[in-house]
Amino acid sequence: MTMRFVAGRRIGELRRPIVREFLMGGAIGALFIISSVLTVVAMGGYTVVWHPVDAMSTVSLAIAVHLGVAVVEELVFRGLALQAIEKYIGAWGAVAITALLFGGAHMLNPGASLWSGFAITVEAGVLIGAAFVWRRNLWFVFGLHFAWNCIQNLFGIPVSGHREPGLFETTVHGDAWLTGGAFGVEASVVTVAISVVLSTAMVIAARRAKRMREIG
């Protein structure tokens, strides 16, 4: 009801199936961040060691924090801003503008730099924006964003500059361009490159879905 009041319209993007869309998004988010971390490990940038401290509390806190962050940020950027802008300049123009806004908002985070702002703009702004245009379902982007952030946390890697206890202890060995430095793996060129591949696939899928809706 809050979203309907703020948006001033019916909220079709919160339609069912909730669980399927959330899990699909979560699977993509998990694949994205795990492949990024493992690639950096393979290139000698990280050493990852199992090192849980109060595992139950660590996992519970990570889930609660990152689920809340994912829902709030996606409601604001994809639930409201992207769709409002889309009415005037189209979906892909709206993705570009909200991506810039999203990257700019993360410039205030610890360890942020112009590079990390650019990386977040491409990875989160463009990738999640394209994911929303493809699925037209907020549960999908909730799951993608949540899994992405929560798994970083559990790896013991800073999430956009914010480090919290994880189930693993990740030690940085390589240069910042590879590891992301204090900002975390989101500022790694590896993560940016993988996000570009995923974003391209989602743009293609979104265009196909649009054609199918028009035919149907």
Side-chain angles (χ1 to χ4, degrees):
M1 291 183 66
T2 300
M3 272 294 289
R4 184 175 295 179
F5 175 77
V6 173
R9 58 177 172 78
R10 295 179 65 86
I11 311 299
E13 61 272 24
L14 284 171
R15 68 187 181 279
R16 299 177 180 179
I18 295 171
V19 174
R20 187 185 73 186
E21 291 292 329
F22 186 87
L23 290 178
M24 284 177 59
I28 293 174
L31 175 65
F32 170 50
I33 202 63
I34 290 172
S35 62
S36 298
V37 171
L38 293 183
T39 301
V40 175
V41 169
M43 295 176 70
Y46 291 157
T47 298
V48 180
V49 178
W50 175 251
H51 186 68
V53 177
D54 195 358
M56 185 66 70
S57 295
T58 296
V59 173
S60 299
L61 181 61
I63 291 172
V65 168
H66 295 297
L67 184 58
V69 169
V71 169
V72 171
E73 290 189 348
E74 292 313 315
L75 287 176
V76 171
F77 285 94
R78 263 58 68 170
L80 293 173
L82 188 151
Q83 294 179 84
I85 297 169
E86 182 181 15
K87 294 178 182 178
Y88 299 98
I89 62 173
W92 302 115
V95 168
I97 290 175
T98 52
L100 289 170
L101 292 173
F102 196 81
H106 286 72
M107 288 293 291
L108 301 175
N109 289 24
S113 64
L114 287 175
W115 165 252
S116 70
F118 170 79
I120 288 291
T121 296
V122 173
E123 295 161 359
V126 175
L127 174 58
I128 302 180
F132 177 77
V133 173
W134 170 34
R135 301 301 299 177
R136 291 289 169 179
N137 191 301
L138 283 170
W139 297 106
F140 183 83
V141 293
F142 290 161
L144 195 162
H145 195 153
F146 162 71
W148 169 347
N149 283 359
C150 190
I151 290 172
Q152 280 186 92
N153 184 159
L154 295 178
F155 266 119
I157 296 170
V159 180
S160 300
H162 297 284
R163 183 187 290 275
E164 301 294 338
L167 296 178
F168 295 86
E169 185 176 279
T170 297
T171 305
V172 176
H173 299 292
D175 294 330
W177 65 266
L178 173 62
T179 66
F183 196 78
V185 74
E186 290 167 327
S188 167
V189 294
V190 169
T191 313
V192 174
I194 293 174
S195 77
V196 169
V197 174
L198 284 175
S199 296
T200 301
M202 288 185 181
V203 169
I204 294 170
R207 289 178 173 172
R208 288 177 178 170
K210 183 180 179 181
R211 285 198 296 269
M212 292 299 294
R213 288 195 295 267
E214 291 171 348
I215 293 170

